Amino acid sequence: MAMLKALVVDDASFVRDLVKRTIRQRFPVIETTDAQNGKRAQSLMSRSTFDLVLCDWEMPEMSGLELLQWMREQPQYKTVPFIMITSRGDKDHVIEAVQKGVSEYLGKPFSPEGLSKKIIKVMGRSLKEAMDHSGKSMAGPADAFKESAALLTQKREAPAPARPNPEPAVLAPQPNASSAEKKPGTGKSAMSLASVRFADSALKSVVKDINLTEVKVIAKRDQSFPGILEQAVVDIDMSEGQMARLNGYVHQLQAVDKRQDTDFVSVTIRFVDEDPKKLEDLSRFIARFRAGKR
């Protein structure tokens, strides 16, 4: 029987399901409830009490930062752990979250191990006591608790600024590009660069095609490729110093050429964001991308 309660807040149902599944498998004493935005989370938190909040930053109606600020103003939530799970990992955003009272910061895409360690760190003795009382143990790597055992007896401090997930160097067009690089949609006149980040790696790539549902990128084969359904964050330069960070998952991997020794692989990322602002930014990029292909 669950003894602790966690609230998972994200506008993408795919991400909420990943977080809930990890908690269910590794921490059976934690019962999860989810909300698609900060407003819905605020309503749930006003009617019930939660022991842990795991929240996205960018959401419609109320952002994760606004929810955090409201939460710290409520007497019953002043000290409740709040983990910000977001693709925004730059130093300024981390500092802002720390100033508002965030307990920990986890970058997207994340691994189950990374999420588990953050939960162990912020929950401390309450989680250990609940696990001991239930007589249950975590599924997955058995030493996840051992690796973080010291954290359970240490005084909790404000998190150090997190390092953003690896930002790969862009795949710059080469003067002697192969025929694969010059295929329709990836020629120099239409080339748009994208950084695709995964939990443990990143791809240097160019955009082959994009719409509001998915993006197809072309990457050199000599890189480390993800598995199907793996989380991804696509960083797209929106010009004028603005960067769109779109959450998704790997839908398809396919050789560009019909031969075993092809040098290029096509990766299709399905988007999961439902934030109207992100969709608006994406629409502007698509218009510019298609205009460049004419």
Side-chain angles (χ1 to χ4, degrees), residues 94-271:
V94 174
I95 292 174
E96 186 176 8
V98 170
Q99 291 172 340
K100 297 295 185 183
V102 77
S103 306
E104 266 299 332
Y105 203 99
L106 180 62
K108 292 180 182 177
F110 57 86
S111 66
E113 290 76 15
L115 176 59
S116 297
K117 288 180 180 180
K118 295 292 185 181
I119 292 173
I120 291 169
K121 183 174 182 179
V122 301
M123 294 295 286
R125 288 191 177 279
S126 62
L127 178 59
K128 184 178 186 302
E129 289 171 0
M131 295 290 281
D132 290 344
H133 186 267
S134 69
K136 295 181 180 293
S137 59
M138 290 195 311
D143 58 354
F145 261 130
K146 295 178 184 177
E147 293 177 359
S148 303
L151 298 172
L152 301 177
T153 56
Q154 291 176 356
K155 180 180 179 181
R156 184 151 57 96
E157 300 175 350
R163 291 188 305 169
N165 286 325
E167 296 282 356
V170 295
L171 181 62
Q174 300 296 321
N176 296 320
S178 69
S179 58
E181 290 174 285
K182 295 180 180 178
K183 291 192 173 188
T186 60
K188 186 174 180 180
S189 63
M191 182 172 287
S192 295
L193 308 174
S195 301
V196 186
R197 292 182 277 129
F198 307 98
D200 301 311
S201 63
L203 278 181
K204 298 178 292 184
S205 63
V206 295
V207 178
K208 170 74 172 178
D209 197 13
I210 187 169
N211 56 47
L212 289 174
T213 304
E214 64 185 28
V215 62
K216 181 180 289 186
V217 300
I218 305 297
K220 288 187 176 181
R221 183 184 174 185
D222 59 0
Q223 302 179 75
S224 175
F225 282 83
I228 299 297
L229 299 181
E230 187 168 331
Q231 294 177 77
V233 172
V234 184
D235 294 331
I236 299 177
D237 186 357
M238 300 295 292
S239 77
E240 299 180 359
Q242 293 186 331
M243 184 72 70
R245 293 179 173 86
L246 300 160
N247 298 293
Y249 65 91
V250 180
H251 177 69
Q252 185 180 58
L253 295 171
Q254 186 176 8
V256 169
D257 298 310
K258 295 181 179 179
R259 52 190 178 88
Q260 188 175 5
D261 61 344
T262 182
D263 293 326
F264 294 88
V265 176
S266 169
V267 183
T268 300
I269 307 295
R270 281 274 173 90
F271 298 132

